[in-house]
Amino acid sequence: MKIPAQFMHVGFFDLLCDALVQHSQAKQNENSSYRCNRFSRSSICASVLSIENCANALFQQIEVSPQTLNDLDRMPALSKIDMYLRVEHQLSGLDYGNNIVQKVKELLHVRNQFVHQKGTKIKTDIGKPKDGMENWILPMDLEGKLHTELKIPKCSMFWSNIHAYEVLKAVFSFYNYLFSELVPLSEDDLTAVLMNRIQFNNYVMPNLFDEMHIELEEAESIGLKLKFFDAAPWRRT
């Protein structure tokens, strides 16, 4: 006998774990500048997308008409989270003066710059071309400017595993601030908001791959910890 059910794919933990895995790959390839850079880009992009994903998941919890929700859906990610805090929890919203929030705000700006790239002009000095057998080598010195809060290069070609880690620290700190300090949600609430899950009748079954459990637990060894993950019903024992 089959029971009618619904699988809800949120994607929050998928993106967070993608960011962790890509950072790990970047670190393993830190001696190869190009490979390190490409994995770092992927990690940083996944970190940013997890913020937008989280904002949308929370925004869907606001009890307003579908039309109103649709009209407001174009708001920036932090505005959605801010509205969620005000409407659903009667809080004063995000503290935009908090350095944790400022870093995430800057990170979302980094995302916009990355998606809507218009090319970056970087001043440099070039040396005399050298014969590299199959290719010519053109010596040059390149230096990128840094973002104020995150301290990562503005130009993505300079991103490394170190910068991917700084971004991960920023998003982990933000989630701890949001879900441990501002709105310490219950286990059931977190499952119903952030988790991929199967829903049938009045039951909700969280769904995480074993790899995700392992990756989130291993993140603690490099100083990245989700405080609300410890008590969560999907954490393995």
Side-chain angles (χ1 to χ4, degrees):
M1 181 181 71
K2 293 185 177 181
I3 301 174
Q6 183 179 53
F7 182 80
M8 181 66 182
H9 181 259
V10 180
F12 172 75
F13 284 101
D14 304 69
L15 289 166
L16 202 56
C17 289
D18 282 353
L20 289 168
V21 169
Q22 296 297 331
H23 163 260
S24 176
Q25 288 294 314
K27 186 170 178 58
Q28 291 176 33
N29 288 275
E30 58 187 346
N31 292 327
S32 171
S33 60
Y34 177 67
R35 289 179 62 82
C36 180
N37 176 244
R38 73 189 316 182
F39 287 123
S40 299
R41 289 198 308 269
S42 297
S43 177
I44 290 173
C45 287
S47 288
V48 179
L49 291 177
S50 79
I51 295 288
E52 297 189 348
N53 181 284
C54 176
N56 287 328
L58 295 179
F59 193 62
Q60 293 297 318
Q61 306 305 308
I62 298 176
E63 295 185 7
V64 295
S65 70
Q67 181 60 51
T68 300
L69 204 63
N70 185 63
D71 291 342
L72 297 174
D73 194 45
R74 293 181 179 275
M75 291 194 306
L78 286 183
S79 296
K80 290 180 179 179
I81 295 174
D82 187 79
M83 178 172 284
Y84 165 79
L85 295 173
R86 293 174 185 274
V87 175
E88 290 300 301
H89 296 279
Q90 289 74 54
L91 297 175
S92 57
L94 292 171
D95 177 6
Y96 283 90
N98 188 318
N99 183 249
I100 292 174
V101 179
Q102 289 178 347
K103 285 185 177 182
V104 169
K105 183 178 180 180
E106 187 174 74
L107 183 57
L108 291 166
H109 179 65
V110 171
R111 175 264 185 201
N112 292 336
Q113 285 186 322
F114 185 80
V115 172
H116 305 290
Q117 292 195 49
K118 299 179 181 179
T120 303
K121 295 180 180 179
I122 304 172
K123 292 182 178 181
T124 183
D125 294 314
I126 59 175
K128 183 179 179 180
K130 298 178 181 179
D131 188 355
M133 303 300 288
E134 295 183 3
N135 300 293
W136 283 93
I137 299 172
L138 186 63
M140 67 176 68
D141 294 319
L142 294 172
E143 184 176 347
K145 296 181 179 179
L146 302 180
H147 284 285
T148 305
E149 300 295 336
L150 294 166
K151 306 301 182 185
I152 69 171
K154 291 186 176 181
C155 181
S156 61
M157 71 173 289
F158 295 116
W159 290 348
S160 71
N161 59 294
I162 295 173
H163 305 122
Y165 180 71
E166 288 302 314
V167 170
L168 278 166
K169 281 201 304 182
V171 297
F172 269 68
S173 294
F174 180 74
Y175 295 137
N176 288 332
Y177 162 73
L178 182 58
F179 294 120
S180 292
E181 296 182 31
L182 295 183
V183 283
L185 301 180
S186 69
E187 296 176 1
D188 290 340
D189 288 336
L190 283 169
T191 301
V193 174
L194 293 179
M195 283 293 298
N196 297 338
R197 56 193 181 270
I198 300 171
Q199 302 173 172
F200 58 96
N201 296 332
N202 293 320
Y203 296 95
V204 177
M205 295 176 58
N207 177 265
L208 274 186
F209 289 104
D210 287 342
E211 289 88 346
M212 293 181 180
H213 288 286
I214 294 170
E215 288 151 11
L216 287 167
E217 290 168 2
E218 288 181 345
E220 296 183 16
S221 68
I222 57 173
L224 300 171
K225 180 180 178 65
L226 292 178
K227 294 179 181 178
F228 65 86
F229 185 71
D230 281 332
W234 56 83
R235 185 174 175 90
R236 300 187 307 173
T237 57

